[in-house]
Amino acid sequence: MNVGSIVKYYRMKHNLTQAELCEGICSISHLSKIESNKYVPHQETLEELFTRMNIEWNQEVDVYLAHREKLEKFITYSVYYDLKSMEALYAELERNRDYLQSTDLINRYELYKLRYYLFQQNRQRATQQMRILAKLESTFDEYERGAAKVFYLIYYVSTRNKEKAKEIVGRIEDSQGWVPQLFEGEFYYQNAWLSQRNTEYGKSSYFAELAINQFQKDCNYLRLMHAQMLQAVNYANRDLYLQAEGLFKTLLRNARLMDEISLYEGVLYNYSMLQNRRGHHKSAYLLLKELKSLITPEIPLYASVLIHMLQTAAEEGLEMDHLLEELEILLQGKDDPYLTIQLNYFRKLKFSQRDLFDYCEQIVFPFLKEHGYIGEARRFAWRLANYYRSIGHYEKADEYAIYFYEKGEKMT
Amino acid sequence: MKRKWSVAFLAVLFVAVVGTGNAFATIQVNDEMSTYTTGNGNLHPPDVMPPQ
């Protein structure tokens, strides 16, 4: 710990000048060196300085250690996804901000705050925090550098700064990049998350497996479920149906037991997607029905569920009108181009195939491509490529096939 | 002379085979991806991801 910073903190708090504090104890230049942590003072000098400010040095050490412990608790909460405790402790830490910022705990304090803002999805404050950390970076120790890498990765992933995120991943993957043991699972998890969002399911599987193993070792059960969810989606997208189904069933059971409502809903949704992919549309429809009964139209997921139900109904030849109506009502007064496209798509689906293909090519595919819906755009590219191949229009078929392959996983 | 030609022929054959091997390697398509279209070919929103 930097004793000098603490001396300075209390001197400022007591409104003392350097001359007033050191009079009869040591010289001003000596005190100034102590305060800037260039010189470690003798125990006696220190005690005399603190006595002048009516502070007991021994107690001061305890205060420092208690703060350090609180900070560690704070970040451990984040690793175990205990957001409520984290929020409570954040308020307490904020009350002691001046103290923390005056000691050498400042780096960790500012670093951990970044993680907190990322959980809160408060992008503005997170960006602000990144600027503060950039200034502190030169004073980071090895542990802080390792932790910073993980948090920066999360920041860049959440702000969709793909290049910066990849740069960090590259840095961590080589032998020099080291991540503190506490954050190992978190780091694998974030990698799996990033790869999955980029539809690189094989790569995401690799990291998700590492994350699952690490979380199991750490008895980190909430994060374990999150990692299993990622893995199940990866399996589903790689057509490993049995593995995916096994994980989804486990997740449904455990999410319900642990009262993780939003996770339970997410699992229902993803599981129904798997069932549709396998051609088990009836099962998918039942899962979606259960999900629809659990959520209200205000939740963004509701629209996705409706669309998914429409798709399932179309596959199974079920009645679609009431779903189309509901989607129309949901769209009223909203300017949501994505939902509008979905609605038109399903309306056209009921009438003519020719019309549908034109619509897909002229409106849907360009829209998805432009707005980064990679997975969906690829599916459309594949269908359009097949269509053009079937009518002997090879140039166009190639164009779409190339998009499909280029956006897929690279074989390395 | 005949033997010399056959050696040259074999050498050309070998180079050709090695060449195609390399050429195939570079244009190898990504067959890991699913081309399954039933149920999957439709437009639907992406999977729900767990919290970051």
Side-chain angles (χ1 to χ4, degrees):
Chain A
M1 70 192 273
N2 291 331
V3 182
S5 309
I6 297 175
V7 173
K8 189 177 176 185
Y9 168 72
Y10 280 111
R11 181 174 66 75
M12 305 289 261
K13 207 175 168 191
H14 284 85
N15 276 329
L16 290 170
T17 62
Q18 283 187 331
E20 282 167 339
L21 178 61
C22 69
E23 198 189 344
I25 300 173
C26 64
S27 67
I28 295 179
S29 68
H30 192 74
L31 178 61
S32 156
K33 273 182 195 160
I34 292 173
E35 283 189 357
S36 54
N37 298 312
K38 283 181 191 151
Y39 185 82
V40 181
H42 200 271
Q43 188 67 27
E44 261 175 41
T45 319
L46 200 61
E47 269 168 24
E48 277 179 57
L49 287 172
F50 276 113
T51 315
R52 182 153 298 171
M53 296 186 283
N54 294 325
I55 291 160
E56 279 225 27
W57 172 237
N58 284 343
Q59 269 179 14
E60 210 35 54
V61 174
D62 289 343
V63 169
Y64 174 85
L65 291 177
H67 275 107
R68 198 169 70 178
E69 204 168 304
K70 260 182 211 161
L71 273 178
E72 291 318 309
K73 241 187 191 173
F74 184 62
I75 205 60
T76 310
Y77 286 148
S78 92
V79 171
Y80 284 83
Y81 203 69
D82 185 356
L83 299 188
K84 266 187 201 152
S85 308
M86 207 179 176
E87 215 164 301
L89 196 49
Y90 173 77
E92 202 182 324
L93 288 173
E94 275 301 87
R95 281 197 291 276
N96 296 313
R97 184 173 44 193
D98 288 345
Y99 178 86
L100 288 163
Q101 283 179 338
S102 73
T103 62
D104 58 355
L105 295 173
I106 179 171
N107 289 352
R108 288 182 195 203
Y109 171 65
E110 300 293 354
L111 255 177
Y112 296 169
K113 256 174 38 180
L114 172 66
R115 184 66 185 110
Y116 178 72
Y117 295 142
L118 288 169
F119 267 134
Q120 302 276 310
Q121 293 178 332
N122 190 338
R123 201 170 288 180
Q124 202 189 342
R125 293 201 86 163
T127 310
Q128 219 174 351
Q129 202 63 19
M130 285 294 281
R131 263 184 241 131
I132 296 174
L133 287 168
K135 281 181 204 152
L136 292 172
E137 226 164 39
S138 56
T139 59
F140 280 1
D141 62 20
E142 201 186 0
Y143 168 88
E144 286 153 5
R145 266 196 299 276
K149 274 183 221 162
V150 181
F151 301 156
Y152 289 176
L153 175 66
I154 303 170
Y155 173 77
Y156 289 129
V157 171
S158 70
T159 51
R160 306 205 165 224
N161 192 338
K162 235 190 215 176
E163 267 139 48
K164 282 266 188 186
K166 284 229 160 120
E167 195 186 301
I168 291 178
V169 172
R171 239 189 290 163
I172 301 180
E173 274 173 347
D174 66 36
S175 57
Q176 288 174 337
W178 172 84
V179 174
Q181 206 241 326
L182 180 64
F183 304 112
E184 242 173 75
E186 178 86 11
F187 164 64
Y188 296 138
Y189 177 76
Q190 294 300 336
N191 267 294
W193 204 95
L194 173 68
S195 306
Q196 181 166 105
R197 215 192 45 199
N198 295 338
T199 67
E200 297 167 336
Y201 299 111
K203 199 172 169 194
S204 179
S205 273
Y206 167 73
F207 283 114
E209 200 56 47
L210 288 173
I212 287 172
N213 286 336
Q214 191 62 41
F215 290 146
Q216 269 168 346
K217 261 189 236 161
D218 296 345
C219 299
N220 189 347
Y221 297 124
L222 279 180
R223 276 315 215 186
L224 175 64
M225 287 204 289
H226 295 163
Q228 282 174 326
M229 169 97 126
L230 282 182
Q231 190 66 311
V233 171
N234 288 330
Y235 284 151
N237 281 292
R238 293 167 69 203
D239 291 346
L240 298 167
Y241 298 146
L242 293 181
Q243 287 90 329
E245 186 168 39
L247 269 180
F248 278 134
K249 281 186 172 163
T250 310
L251 277 168
L252 278 181
R253 191 172 54 233
N254 289 341
R256 200 178 45 223
L257 276 173
M258 289 168 80
D259 264 338
E260 286 294 308
I261 298 157
S262 64
L263 186 72
Y264 183 78
E265 291 163 0
V267 176
L268 276 178
Y269 181 85
N270 290 340
Y271 189 17
S272 72
M273 268 173 99
L274 169 76
Q275 295 298 63
N276 261 337
R277 201 179 162 104
R278 294 165 86 186
H280 296 183
H281 304 302
K282 262 193 196 128
S283 158
Y285 201 77
L286 287 176
L287 288 166
L288 286 166
K289 245 181 150 175
E290 184 189 345
L291 177 55
K292 192 163 165 268
S293 70
L294 292 175
I295 56 179
T296 53
E298 291 81 49
I299 299 176
L301 185 64
Y302 195 85
S304 301
V305 173
L306 271 182
I307 291 158
H308 209 167
M309 279 182 100
L310 274 167
Q311 179 204 330
T312 317
E315 295 279 356
E316 194 62 21
L318 298 172
E319 180 56 50
M320 285 166 67
D321 288 344
H322 68 288
L323 294 168
L324 278 172
E325 250 171 57
E326 214 174 319
L327 188 59
E328 227 165 301
I329 292 167
L330 198 67
L331 252 171
Q332 273 168 8
K334 267 192 222 166
D335 183 27
D336 190 332
Y338 180 79
L339 284 185
T340 314
I341 280 182
Q342 298 274 14
L343 184 63
N344 288 335
Y345 174 85
F346 283 109
R347 270 190 193 138
K348 286 188 195 298
L349 188 71
K350 281 176 67 187
F351 299 109
S352 118
Q353 281 295 307
R354 180 66 249 174
D355 238 24
L356 186 66
F357 263 107
D358 286 345
Y359 186 68
C360 288
E361 184 168 24
Q362 284 154 19
I363 312 270
V364 183
F365 181 68
F367 175 84
L368 295 172
K369 205 166 103 177
E370 195 190 324
H371 291 85
Y373 293 91
I374 306 171
E376 289 172 276
R378 281 187 76 230
R379 265 180 237 128
F380 271 84
W382 185 256
R383 290 178 83 191
L384 290 165
N386 269 337
Y387 170 72
Y388 278 114
R389 200 178 311 131
S390 72
I391 60 165
H393 212 314
Y394 293 111
E395 239 170 69
K396 280 235 169 185
D398 282 353
E399 205 179 291
Y400 287 112
I402 284 169
Y403 178 86
F404 179 85
Y405 284 119
E406 268 187 346
K407 291 291 175 184
E409 275 189 78
K410 303 275 183 301
M411 299 248 288
T412 43
Chain B
M1 193 61 190
K2 203 175 177 185
R3 192 164 163 201
K4 212 172 180 183
W5 277 114
S6 61
V7 168
F9 175 70
L10 281 174
V12 167
L13 206 63
F14 175 72
V15 168
V17 169
V18 169
T20 45
N22 286 336
F24 273 134
T26 52
I27 58 160
Q28 202 168 37
V29 294
N30 181 0
D31 53 6
E32 208 185 336
M33 291 309 302
S34 151
T35 54
Y36 199 75
T37 49
T38 313
N40 189 33
N42 268 308
L43 175 60
H44 58 69
D47 305 89
V48 173
M49 292 184 79
Q52 204 192 350

